[in-house]
Amino acid sequence: MNIVKQKTNSYFILLLISSLYSTIINIPDDYLNIQDGINSSVDGDTILVAPGTYQENLVIDKSIVLASHAIFDNLDDWVVYDDVFYEQWVVNNYHINNTTILGNNPVDLNFGSAILITSEDMCIEPEIIGFTIKNGLGTVVSKDNELKRIGGAVLADISNPLIHYNSFLENGGINVESGGAIQLTSSAEDWDFNDRFEN
């Protein structure tokens, strides 16, 4: 058994074991919106999201698992090289392709990241598995009395997230200074990434 298959099986087993000690919150059965499910969760819970398009700008402030139904799939070949139509790598999983978080219509234009990971109390360790994260606009932060927009799709503020088996499409744009798809930080000083602007 190869490592990827072992990891996929491990996620399924972890989800089953975690259900004994935590809650699985189903979206949209238990809550229509992902954020409502996150708000009702506690550390260790799993937010399990059914296929669909969710136009939300999420705030994750605890150590939870946010997963699409891809968590139950064999993800050995979740991406494949398509040399027939596109000549590029494409996502080859129904649940990842069809469970979409759209970040392009935030309530507050300063908070335009599709997902903001932040906690005032401690370093949290959320896990995000199996989504298409699209059209994130980035979040405005202040650094040295200057406003900057960073983290188009995901902005993680002093946390230790595990983000895998996700597709990032059309996030960022010319107004995002850094981290079009993901901006990860480990300290307050990390908001300034001028040396990475060219990348």
Side-chain angles (χ1 to χ4, degrees):
M1 186 182 297
N2 65 34
I3 293 174
V4 175
K5 184 174 276 187
Q6 287 176 338
K7 287 182 180 179
T8 302
N9 291 339
S10 297
Y11 294 132
F12 181 70
I13 292 168
L14 179 63
L15 187 62
L16 290 176
I17 292 172
S18 70
S19 67
L20 299 174
Y21 302 101
S22 61
T23 300
I24 296 177
I25 298 169
N26 291 285
I27 308 298
D29 291 344
D30 297 327
Y31 296 93
L32 289 177
N33 299 317
I34 299 171
Q35 188 64 58
D36 291 341
I38 293 170
N39 292 345
S40 71
S41 69
V42 297
D43 285 348
D45 286 351
T46 297
I47 312 299
L48 186 61
V49 183
T53 298
Y54 301 85
Q55 188 154 38
E56 301 187 57
N57 296 83
L58 305 175
V59 177
I60 298 177
D61 58 356
K62 54 199 83 164
S63 297
I64 58 172
V65 175
L66 176 63
S68 76
H69 287 235
I71 197 170
F72 299 115
D73 297 338
N74 180 337
L75 296 172
D76 287 355
D77 297 313
W78 76 284
V79 291
V80 295
Y81 189 77
D82 182 349
D83 57 358
V84 177
F85 295 107
Y86 303 107
E87 294 189 6
Q88 63 184 6
W89 290 94
V90 295
V91 174
N92 185 37
N93 179 274
Y94 173 84
H95 292 110
I96 296 173
N97 282 325
N98 292 285
T99 313
T100 303
I101 299 170
L102 284 179
N104 63 341
N105 193 25
V107 174
D108 181 349
L109 290 176
N110 288 325
F111 165 50
S113 297
I115 301 174
L116 175 64
I117 301 169
T118 184
S119 175
E120 295 181 6
D121 299 332
M122 65 186 80
C123 181
I124 57 175
E125 299 182 343
E127 186 169 2
I128 302 170
I129 307 167
F131 293 91
T132 291
I133 304 171
K134 188 174 180 180
N135 297 139
L137 304 175
T139 295
V140 175
V141 299
S142 177
K143 176 65 178 174
D144 298 328
N145 298 319
E146 185 178 345
L147 296 178
K148 301 177 182 181
R149 188 174 291 274
I150 61 177
V154 177
L155 176 58
D157 177 22
I158 313 177
S159 56
N160 190 23
L162 183 55
I163 303 169
H164 50 149
Y165 299 114
N166 297 284
S167 173
F168 296 89
L169 295 175
E170 301 169 10
N171 295 285
I174 61 172
N175 294 322
V176 172
E177 180 160 332
S178 63
I182 302 176
Q183 182 80 45
L184 305 175
T185 70
S186 59
S187 69
E189 290 73 26
D190 284 347
W191 290 127
D192 194 0
F193 280 86
N194 288 333
D195 60 330
R196 300 185 187 182
F197 184 74
E198 294 299 321
N199 295 324

